Amino acid sequence: MSNRPADNREQFRPEDHENDNFLLTTVVGSYKKPKWLDRARELYEDPEDGFGDEEWEEAKDDAARLITDEHERSDLDVVVDGEMRRKEMVEYFAHLIDGYEFNGRVKVWGHNYFDKPSVADEVEYGEEWLVDEYEFTSDVADSPVKVPITGPYTLANWTFNEAYDTDEELAYDLAELVNTEIERLVDAGARYIQIDEPALATTPDDHAIVGECLERIVADIPEEVRIGLHVCYGDYSRIYPEVLDYPVDELDLELTNGDYEQIDVFTEPEFTLDLALGVVDNHTAEVESVAEIKENIKQGFKVVPPEQLTISPDCGLKLLPREIAYEKMANMVQAAREVEAELDAGEIDVGYAAPEVSADD
């Protein structure tokens, strides 16, 4: 059993951070791709266009550099490249894992289609997944870099299983592969990994399977490496407090979209992990004001004290126009810095989670 949560958060505090309090700011991961990158993919996938591997790699590098810079200009403490090299969160990894195959697109909602893969044979580690992506982003970024990676439960749940007796067996085998990839990322220098498991909140009766997957994922991963778990959608009361037993440092939740109606779910019993709180809505193009985001941040103090709070959008920002996504990030960071200053001045009562720290102390 892992000893997480571990005390590994301070490594991401910038050296020039002005406030005593520190609310770690980051994003969930995905981000709107430049239109020219989508066009470059179309050319690359058309064998008659002569747009080769070298041109396609250059296009992805340029996009990753552009979005990483956009994250840094918004002053996030920890950045991501916006997942510029990934077309979709399951499909991307399925192409790299031996045992998967593709048989055509399926309709998932509205007019959106998903190239849903099938597991036709026992899964095995094939090509390297994310090390090149991490190393490139780290080279072009001055800030620390987080690596989002789709979790084994979602990889299994959103796949046609034609090779295993149960999805549980498939998820455990995929967890071993995720562990292999994270070990390689750690060897390359990665210190912040986020496991994305959106399927958990849609099938919460399987929380024990996700817990066992996480145990396998973090086996032998050093405690200085921060492990987050992102879960969005659904009724969180169906997975709480069981998620507190997961061997992760941080639980990343989507709560803005529901106007924080579920925040009380996490107040009893005591929330013992770090909380990555969604404070801007990725579903609406309306840019929340700094004042509005500050009130959202304060919702987090109903659950954890400031030293356990990370500030983040609800989910990935890939469906929003880039200028909207950027304004949301910039306002989010400004709001976090202003709340920190008010905490330093004793102007904010952090409430339930740490009632001994108040304006009167």
Side-chain angles (χ1 to χ4, degrees), residues 56-129:
W56 176 228
E57 291 303 317
E58 181 179 347
K60 289 186 290 184
D61 285 352
D62 286 348
R65 187 182 291 107
L66 176 72
I67 301 305
T68 301
D69 179 70
E70 202 153 299
H71 285 189
E72 292 203 297
R73 284 191 289 110
S74 70
D75 282 336
L76 291 167
D77 299 312
V78 176
V79 301
V80 180
D81 77 345
E83 302 179 7
M84 290 297 107
R85 303 169 199 279
R86 312 183 198 180
K87 189 174 182 180
E88 197 276 336
M89 66 181 300
V90 171
E91 179 185 339
Y92 175 81
F93 294 98
H95 276 293
L96 300 172
I97 298 173
D98 291 344
Y100 271 96
E101 64 179 30
F102 290 85
N103 298 299
R105 303 167 75 200
V106 297
K107 193 172 184 179
V108 286
W109 73 85
H111 297 291
N112 292 291
Y113 285 82
F114 165 42
D115 202 3
K116 186 171 181 173
S118 299
V119 172
D121 201 352
E122 186 173 325
V123 294
E124 295 182 9
Y125 193 91
E127 300 176 56
E128 205 165 59
W129 301 359

Side-chain angles (χ1 to χ4, degrees), residues 12 41 53 56 76 115 135 185 194 293 336 346 358:
F12 304 109
R41 179 183 292 277
D53 292 342
W56 176 228
L76 291 167
D115 202 3
E135 291 181 334
L185 285 164
Q194 175 185 284
I293 298 172
S358 72

Side-chain angles (χ1 to χ4, degrees), residues 9 32 90 264 297:
R9 185 172 182 272
K32 184 74 171 180
V90 171
D264 289 343
I297 292 172

Side-chain angles (χ1 to χ4, degrees), residues 249-262:
D249 302 306
E250 177 181 85
L251 185 62
D252 186 305
L253 300 171
E254 174 184 301
L255 290 167
T256 314
N257 186 43
D259 198 23
Y260 297 94
E261 289 182 352
Q262 296 192 63

Side-chain angles (χ1 to χ4, degrees), residues 236-244 262-272 275 300-304 352-353:
Y236 290 130
S237 68
R238 298 176 66 185
I239 60 172
Y240 193 83
E242 288 81 3
V243 291
L244 295 179
Q262 296 192 63
I263 194 72
D264 289 343
V265 168
F266 303 100
T267 59
E268 183 62 38
E270 179 183 2
F271 195 90
T272 51
L275 171 64
F301 299 143
K302 296 178 180 178
V303 179
V304 293
Y352 173 85

Side-chain angles (χ1 to χ4, degrees), residues 83-256:
E83 302 179 7
M84 290 297 107
R85 303 169 199 279
R86 312 183 198 180
K87 189 174 182 180
E88 197 276 336
M89 66 181 300
V90 171
E91 179 185 339
Y92 175 81
F93 294 98
H95 276 293
L96 300 172
I97 298 173
D98 291 344
Y100 271 96
E101 64 179 30
F102 290 85
N103 298 299
R105 303 167 75 200
V106 297
K107 193 172 184 179
V108 286
W109 73 85
H111 297 291
N112 292 291
Y113 285 82
F114 165 42
D115 202 3
K116 186 171 181 173
S118 299
V119 172
D121 201 352
E122 186 173 325
V123 294
E124 295 182 9
Y125 193 91
E127 300 176 56
E128 205 165 59
W129 301 359
L130 300 171
V131 172
D132 285 350
E133 172 190 296
Y134 167 73
E135 291 181 334
F136 181 89
T137 310
S138 294
D139 284 345
V140 300
D142 293 325
S143 306
V145 172
K146 181 168 74 173
V147 183
I149 181 170
T150 304
Y153 181 75
T154 297
L155 287 172
N157 193 267
W158 291 1
T159 295
F160 293 119
N161 174 17
E162 300 171 353
Y164 286 77
D165 291 336
T166 67
D167 289 352
E168 180 178 354
E169 293 176 40
L170 172 59
Y172 292 156
D173 271 8
L174 288 166
E176 299 293 344
L177 306 190
V178 174
N179 171 260
T180 297
E181 183 63 19
I182 292 180
E183 286 183 336
R184 294 185 179 203
L185 285 164
V186 170
D187 289 343
R191 291 296 178 268
Y192 199 163
I193 309 288
Q194 175 185 284
I195 313 296
D196 292 331
E197 287 286 17
L200 171 60
T202 60
T203 51
D205 293 338
D206 287 348
H207 54 73
I209 297 174
V210 175
E212 176 59 31
C213 286
L214 289 166
E215 290 289 350
R216 298 178 187 218
I217 288 171
V218 304
D220 303 321
I221 302 300
E223 290 187 2
E224 63 264 28
V225 177
R226 187 169 182 81
I227 302 292
L229 176 67
H230 173 66
V231 184
C232 48
Y233 311 116
D235 178 358
Y236 290 130
S237 68
R238 298 176 66 185
I239 60 172
Y240 193 83
E242 288 81 3
V243 291
L244 295 179
D245 293 329
Y246 288 172
V248 299
D249 302 306
E250 177 181 85
L251 185 62
D252 186 305
L253 300 171
E254 174 184 301
L255 290 167
T256 314

